[in-house]
Amino acid sequence: MSALTELATGTIAPVAGPAAPAIAMHDLTLGYDGHPAVHHLDGTFDVGSLTAVTGPNGSGKSTLLKGIMGQLPPLGGRIEVTPTDIAYLPQSAEIDRTFPMRVSELVGLGLWRKLGSSGAFGKAEQLHVAEALAAVGLSGFARRGLDTLSGGQLQRALFARMLVQDAPLLLLDEPFTGIDMQTVEDLMSLVGRWRAEGRTVIAVLHDLTLVRQHFPQTLLMAREPIAWGPTSSVLSVDNLGKARAMPEAWDDHAPWHANGRHNHNGKAA
């Protein structure tokens, strides 16, 4: 049997084998209610790679992460995911900060997969959470409520949750939006640590300066891939111009035809 398990169209499943990439996509199309948001994407994220996913608003970046996690079944093509344990950091707008939860409880959710629904949260787990909070600069915050945190402190807590999850694949959706530069620098140091440990990291980002400084690989999207490869070549003036122009040509209400490609106005090609 091949290292990569062959999957039927519209399915997602883990694959095994030392030569397999972390994620492989084959003519992948993702969307909502039959309308494509990510269109005919081919490529791989190698194990241990650090990749930024960038592009205009509405270009399918967050949709791609949902597809990788299995939350959004493909409309066409297939996606093959090697790791069975994925850590995900959502956009800050998706976090309900009024929910009555302590910081330690939020971070402890990262241990759920290891402990199970009935697993005991003992001294070892408490120590693990405390160490993660210290690693992100939140020592002494364990008993604080989420509603008392600044935006940067909440992001630190969410990174601590990913730390305790100890996953080989980490997905970050706009992790640095609206936070101070010191927090960005501290958390980017943690991202660098994950890369050094051989983990695969994919981050949706808008800050191209940050992408150029810290991410060796970039996927530039505008619903379909504009360019994917070394950041220095992907973020060219020509490619960025194509990405800005592409969404303006799409028709969100055009029908999806599963058996045919579409051109940039959403009609069947």
Side-chain angles (χ1 to χ4, degrees):
M1 182 178 294
S2 154
L4 290 178
T5 303
E6 288 297 324
L7 304 174
T9 296
T11 60
I12 301 176
V15 293
I23 303 162
M25 291 165 289
H26 305 274
D27 200 26
L28 177 66
T29 296
L30 299 164
Y32 307 91
D33 299 322
H35 301 291
V38 173
H39 198 212
H40 295 297
L41 180 60
D42 287 285
T44 61
F45 294 93
D46 293 334
V47 172
S49 59
L50 176 58
T51 307
V53 180
T54 192
N57 290 334
S59 60
K61 303 181 295 296
S62 297
T63 298
L64 176 60
L65 297 192
K66 290 180 171 64
I68 292 171
M69 290 186 294
Q71 293 182 355
L72 192 63
L75 293 176
R78 68 188 190 275
I79 180 169
E80 301 161 341
V81 183
T82 300
T84 57
D85 190 4
I86 302 174
Y88 171 62
L89 190 149
Q91 294 182 21
S92 57
E94 299 178 24
I95 304 298
D96 182 4
R97 296 174 62 177
T98 67
F99 189 82
M101 176 181 284
R102 293 177 176 175
V103 170
S104 60
E105 293 171 326
L106 173 67
V107 176
L109 290 174
L111 296 170
W112 182 86
R113 184 180 179 90
K114 295 180 177 65
L115 297 177
S117 58
S118 60
F121 197 88
K123 291 184 178 179
E125 288 72 33
Q126 293 173 13
L127 178 60
H128 200 178
V129 168
E131 290 174 342
L133 287 172
V136 298
L138 289 182
S139 295
F141 280 72
R143 298 179 64 85
R144 292 269 296 270
L146 299 187
D147 60 344
T148 70
L149 302 182
S150 68
Q153 290 167 344
L154 178 61
Q155 287 301 91
R156 290 175 186 266
L158 291 170
F159 268 74
R161 183 177 68 179
M162 299 186 84
L163 266 177
V164 300
Q165 189 170 338
D166 195 28
L169 173 59
L170 303 106
L171 307 178
L172 314 175
D173 196 352
E174 300 187 20
F176 308 122
T177 300
I179 62 177
D180 61 279
M181 282 308 302
Q182 184 59 56
T183 298
V184 172
E185 292 174 6
D186 291 346
L187 296 181
M188 272 308 311
S189 295
L190 184 56
V191 171
R193 167 180 158 183
W194 285 332
R195 183 192 181 197
E197 292 170 347
R199 304 178 196 271
T200 307
V201 183
I202 304 171
V204 169
L205 297 168
H206 285 98
D207 187 338
L208 297 185
T209 299
L210 192 67
V211 173
R212 289 186 172 100
Q213 289 177 342
H214 296 285
F215 289 80
Q217 297 288 316
T218 295
L219 167 57
L220 177 61
M221 294 178 58
R223 299 205 181 179
E224 64 182 45
I226 301 300
W228 190 353
T231 297
S232 57
S233 59
V234 168
L235 297 184
S236 67
V237 173
D238 184 50
N239 286 338
L240 291 172
K242 290 178 182 177
R244 284 191 295 269
M246 193 78 73
E248 299 173 0
W250 280 87
D251 178 2
D252 283 323
H253 302 290
W256 160 249
H257 299 285
N259 295 321
R261 289 179 178 270
H262 291 57
N263 60 27
H264 295 162
N265 64 11
K267 305 299 183 181

